[in-house]
Amino acid sequence: MSRGDFMFRFEIKARDAAGRIGKLEVNGKKIETPAIMPVVNPKQLIVEPKELEKMGFDIIITNSYIIYKDKELREKAIEMGIHKLLDYNGIIEVDSGSFQLMRYGNVDVSNKEIVEFQHKIGVDIGTFLDIPTPPDAPREKAEKDLKITLERAKEAEEIKEIPMNATIQGSTYTDLRRKAARILSGMNFEIHPIGAVVPLLESYRFKELVDIVISSKVGLRPDRPVHLFGAGHPIIFALAVAMGVDLFDSASYALYAKDDRYMTPNGTKRLEELEYFPCSCPVCSRYTPQELREMPKEERARLLAIHNLWVIKEEINRIKQAIREGELWRLVDERARAHPKLYAAYKRLLDHYSYLEEFEPITKKSAFFKISEESLKWPIVRRAQERARRVKEKFPETIKHPIFGDIPRYLSLTYPFAQSEGEEDFPIEKPTNENAHLYIQAIAEYQFGKGSSEAFKDVKVEISKTGMPRQVKVNGKRVATVRAEDGLLTLGIEGAKRLHQVLPYPRMRVVVNDEAEPFVRKGKDVFAKFVTFADPNIRPYDEVLVVNENDELLGTGQALLSGREMIVFQVGRAVKVRKGVGK
């Protein structure tokens, strides 16, 4: 919160890769991310904001500088407010004139003036007047521009009374992007756009875009939504979301339509090239390409713009469904085949393993499908291979897996080894009463880290009618359960106590404050604002130990955030508690 009386919340609801489905709330208005905000030019409305609202676009972006510079629009906006001016009830974000500054070299307004104007007209999310440095600028210029941007950020921070963007600049110098992100993370802002990337998008320099986004994300605190300024073609959405981008904007839907260009998820076609529409949106269902070509230009542009908006919306929904199903990497792989430069960017993204692995869920609803050579570099695969190598130190007996190579024999039931599909089948080897305990120990070592198997060395395993291990007990008490869907362990309280004894602090711990302690003991979920510390090696969907600040066990459950996210986030759930110790 700032000195202004507003409410801003962002929490993660689902995730895959570094992508996330989030709930963003501004003063009672809610949207789900990832989301795209169509650019609305108040002087050239090709599609009315009210129509955008009916199509399901609950956030739009317009340019406060254009309104400010037009006397009639400025007076109306001050008198009516921007929502009435545009006849739109959703969230309205505004740019400040930075794009015009990059394009034309000058704007006739000061940083303070544009921020105060945004207050007056009642925008939901503002933007201060940063200095966008284009790609390939001399380093001296990039450093000078960034210095001014950070000075203006400080000025805006002191006067802002609304949620506000703080744009990350730095040209193509990744260290400057990281520096800007780190400094702005320490200031009182709500959203962080990554700016001055339109020239990279226009020239298909996607590999450099990847490095810029990742360096910015590495410097940023993870609870701030990230907006990729000017990215509005669906061809880039899946890749960008996998990097951790939450918001997009673009005028491309309208600009392309005016030029008779027709969007598809894999690129853009000219209307003159089309005999058939490969789409079933309201426009393509009603008209043929020939009928559109015969229309007056203004009406044709409007209909093409509506089609382009439907394609954009459909791709965002496709991405969100992929996140829900744990299939985002498959969608990225598919989209990357649309253009050689995009394919190169996909391969570059996979080189950023250390960044991606922190946010990659430990388990997924879907099996792993080897659909390409690149899929063998997905973080879930590389992490599984690293952990398998660690387990082999204690359980050296191996079997040959057609995708993963030699893996410990007793991990043959565990995700992703058993839950995978390649050219050849992997025959699952079921445990016997004599060796079932070795499966449990190996899974523990794989799942919880080195030394964890000691907590399960004397267990008895109940095997189901299908021959699979299920309940894990000691002296008749449930210690853990082997999940049928992924072959990983869910802990009972007895298992949590045992793991707590063998793992030194802070491994697999989520530490909560005194206020949360009685609720966790009763089995209530842990909310992020009550977390005082967490093991930074915790990954999303890990099974974790919830403890108080004296390291006394309170409960056990499934992490919904990474360890670092738990410490930083102040809203949303951090751990879905399965069982509390009771008291």
Side-chain angles (χ1 to χ4, degrees), residues 460-471:
K460 301 293 182 184
V461 184
E462 293 181 359
I463 297 178
S464 70
K465 292 179 180 178
T466 59
M468 306 300 281
R470 287 294 174 258
Q471 297 300 321

Side-chain angles (χ1 to χ4, degrees), residues 16-17 238-239 242 266 315 318-319 322-323 325-337 346 350 360 364-372 374-375 378-380 415 421:
D16 195 22
L239 182 76
N266 294 312
E315 183 69 0
R318 185 180 290 114
I319 289 166
I323 291 173
E325 295 177 357
E327 294 275 24
L328 182 55
W329 281 116
R330 286 184 68 184
L331 181 60
V332 173
D333 193 283
E334 178 184 337
R335 289 289 179 257
R337 268 67 186 166
Y346 167 43
L350 292 173
E360 184 79 37
K364 304 193 181 190
K365 292 181 180 179
S366 62
F368 166 71
F369 282 72
K370 184 194 170 188
I371 57 172
S372 66
E374 286 73 33
S375 61
W378 293 350
I380 195 75
Y415 183 86
E421 290 286 345

Side-chain angles (χ1 to χ4, degrees), residues 186-207:
M187 300 175 73
N188 186 23
F189 291 102
E190 286 68 40
I191 299 174
H192 293 285
I194 299 173
V197 296
V198 169
L200 295 177
L201 293 165
E202 290 176 340
S203 55
Y204 282 62
R205 293 167 63 180
F206 298 136
K207 278 175 66 175

Side-chain angles (χ1 to χ4, degrees), residues 226-293:
V226 171
H227 175 175
L228 191 60
F229 258 150
H233 197 294
I235 195 173
I236 197 71
F237 290 169
L239 182 76
V241 170
M243 290 190 275
V245 172
D246 305 291
L247 296 163
F248 302 88
D249 79 274
S250 183
S252 60
Y253 73 96
L255 297 174
Y256 283 21
K258 290 177 181 178
D259 195 30
D260 283 346
R261 288 190 285 170
Y262 176 98
M263 279 186 180
T264 78
N266 294 312
T268 306
K269 295 183 179 294
R270 293 201 169 273
L271 183 61
E272 64 194 44
E273 301 170 349
L274 293 169
E275 290 297 322
Y276 312 97
F277 282 141
C279 172
S280 298
C281 77
V283 172
C284 298
S285 298
R286 183 175 178 183
Y287 301 102
T288 66
Q290 183 62 31
E291 288 170 335
L292 250 63
R293 285 193 288 267

